[in-house]
Amino acid sequence: MTDRFETLTVHAGAEPDPQTGAVVPAIQMSTTFKQDGVGGLRSGFEYGRSGNPTRRALEEAIAALEAATHGLAYASGRAATQNLLYLLEPGDRLLMSDDVYGGTWRLADKVWRRYGIETDAIDLRDLDAVAAAFASDRAPRMVWIETPSNPLLKIVDISAVARLAAVAGALTVVDNTFATPYLQQPLALGADLVLHSATKYLGGHSDVIGGLVATRSDELAERLRFHQNAAGAVPSPFDCFLVMRGLRTLAVRMERASQNAAMLAAWLAERPEVEQVHYPGLADHPARELVERQMRLPGAMLSLELRGGEEAARRLAGATRLFTLAESLGAVESLIEVPGPMTHASVADSPCAVPESLVRLSVGIEAGDDLRSDLEAAFGTLSS
Ligand SMILES: Cc1ncc(COP(=O)(O)O)c(C=O)c1O
């Protein structure tokens, strides 16, 4: 076909049905599949938990978009995370960004610790600290990168960390939820595994919960496929269909949302109420050169610290009209939230704790001027 991303988003996994000509993959609800004699499977399908045609279409699509050879779909981003952690053994250590989605830290710290897997959270931008962690006598077996990170938009050098991990025989995982494969392809940069909350940009419309993993390793894919079936946290065929539909417009949505975010970030940086804007596209972002090397565009997520502290953050988030006050991100509509008490409540008092005055914006594809006016009106309420 082609390896141009925009064409793949429309066509990967979505070839017209050879029998009917349907141009949209069918939602195949059957939970079981007729066998032609014991073990005589048609097209490899046996039972809906182990495989399903709609899910296969989505898994082929994410493999193509991440320049991988294998894709796996799960019931949520959490379920995908859980399945990657099954690659570890009791006694193994996990090294994680100190700025990650709160639920990832919670799963590692509150659940996996009980099963003998210790997690250390450090600033993975500090390559000396990463090298020291791998050189220690209890070197990590896996490093978990989130870049851009949630919610401080820190940028980690994927190639550099993956190189250090590979020398130490450890696996590199990148949570690519914020960037999407349109902006960044971690496997091409040396990562072993890439993960998505498909609930976000890939689904793109706030109407489906899902998780995806992609890899180039046959061995890892085989182990993951075993656990996908054994643990059973698989998505419904309808959910797979919705993510497939979202994928088809990923490139155009990312272009538009990133354009809006870049405009708003520059405008917010000049506001007197704002202490600091975290956006990888700003000229003074500490990793500007790395962003240009690693990402196609700086993306559509940004966060800002307000001079008025937590009180101002809560008031701003409650005063917008177009930006909806809600958790989640990555959809066509713009969202606003206060990470401390909302998405990142589970990391309070941990190494991943976030500033109290922080507001996070997920910038959508509305008219940029309308979004700016909405924020301007909300800022107006802070002084009253
Ligand atoms: C970066 C990131 N990774 C993973 C997840 C978890 O995904 P899900 O909510 O689909 O389980 C989230 C959810 O907000 C996220 O922001």
Side-chain angles (χ1 to χ4, degrees):
M1 197 182 2
T2 168
D3 56 5
R4 289 202 182 85
F5 193 90
E6 294 83 345
T7 307
L8 288 176
T9 59
V10 176
H11 292 283
E15 285 304 303
D17 184 280
Q19 271 180 347
T20 64
V23 296
V24 174
I27 303 173
Q28 176 52 263
M29 294 302 289
S30 186
T31 55
T32 191
F33 298 85
K34 178 177 163 56
Q35 304 192 9
D36 298 318
V38 175
L41 307 184
R42 300 180 186 179
S43 316
F45 298 110
E46 177 181 25
Y47 180 60
R49 170 162 36 74
S50 34
N52 164 283
T54 321
R55 194 167 96 213
R56 182 188 280 178
L58 174 59
E59 291 178 333
E60 283 175 10
I62 192 61
L65 296 183
E66 284 290 5
T69 44
H70 304 276
L72 294 107
Y74 298 94
S76 67
R78 295 300 65 239
T81 303
Q82 172 73 15
N83 272 259
L84 290 190
L85 293 175
Y86 285 143
L87 296 171
L88 298 178
E89 301 290 336
D92 283 350
R93 289 187 91 80
L94 173 63
L95 187 66
M96 190 175 270
S97 294
D98 64 356
D99 188 46
V100 285
Y101 168 58
T104 302
W105 169 258
R106 180 178 56 198
L107 187 63
D109 188 54
K110 299 278 187 306
V111 181
W112 281 83
R113 203 175 286 287
R114 301 206 324 263
Y115 295 89
I117 292 164
E118 294 286 325
T119 302
D120 300 302
I122 66 167
D123 187 342
L124 295 180
R125 294 174 303 176
D126 181 349
L127 295 176
D128 291 339
V130 176
F134 280 118
S136 74
D137 49 358
R138 293 200 60 209
R141 280 282 306 133
M142 178 184 277
V143 56
W144 191 282
I145 303 175
E146 215 180 86
T147 182
S149 67
N150 181 2
L152 291 174
L153 287 302
K154 293 181 185 174
I155 303 293
V156 174
D157 188 333
I158 297 174
S159 308
V161 174
R163 258 197 312 274
L164 290 168
V167 169
L171 294 172
T172 299
V173 176
V174 176
D175 182 336
N176 207 25
T177 300
F178 267 35
T180 83
Y182 182 60
L183 303 191
Q184 169 175 285
Q185 293 193 313
L187 301 180
L189 296 168
D192 300 290
L193 294 146
V194 59
L195 168 133
H196 288 277
S197 167
T199 315
K200 311 301 184 321
Y201 288 104
L202 304 189
H205 296 76
S206 299
D207 55 9
V208 58
I209 300 281
L212 293 168
V213 166
T215 181
R216 293 177 175 177
S217 158
D218 296 344
E219 191 253 332
L220 291 175
E222 194 183 324
R223 288 168 64 196
L224 289 169
R225 190 71 68 196
F226 171 80
H227 283 123
Q228 183 194 39
N229 180 46
V234 293
S236 78
F238 185 60
D239 290 352
C240 295
F241 164 83
L242 284 175
V243 177
M244 283 289 283
R245 189 170 66 165
L247 281 181
R248 293 180 143 192
T249 54
L250 178 65
V252 284
R253 284 187 287 108
M254 291 314 290
E255 283 287 339
R256 173 53 180 263
S258 301
Q259 193 186 331
N260 279 347
M263 180 276 288
L264 289 177
W267 177 76
L268 286 164
E270 301 298 321
R271 294 285 316 184
E273 303 89 342
V274 175
E275 176 86 44
Q276 196 182 351
V277 177
H278 303 281
Y279 181 65
L282 286 176
D284 61 356
H285 189 280
R288 193 80 183 100
E289 181 272 327
L290 176 58
V291 172
E292 275 164 22
R293 184 153 40 90
Q294 189 164 276
M295 301 178 74
R296 186 198 294 247
L297 291 169
M301 294 300 300
L302 62 94
S303 57
L304 45 142
E305 289 176 56
L306 295 178
R307 292 191 200 283
E310 186 181 357
E311 169 63 17
R314 285 177 182 260
R315 281 180 68 179
L316 184 77
T320 51
R321 293 183 60 235
L322 274 180
F323 277 89
T324 302
L325 173 58
E327 300 197 1
S328 201
L329 60 112
V332 287
E333 72 278 353
S334 295
L335 300 177
I336 188 166
E337 69 125 0
V338 182
M342 294 176 70
T343 47
H344 288 66
S346 59
V347 295
D349 304 322
S350 84
C352 306
V354 299
E356 286 177 345
S357 65
L358 194 74
V359 171
R360 190 185 75 180
L361 301 182
S362 169
V363 180
I365 62 169
E366 300 95 332
D369 288 349
D370 288 341
L371 295 177
R372 189 176 46 205
S373 304
D374 188 36
L375 289 172
E376 189 155 32
F379 275 122
T381 66
L382 293 189
S383 46
S384 60

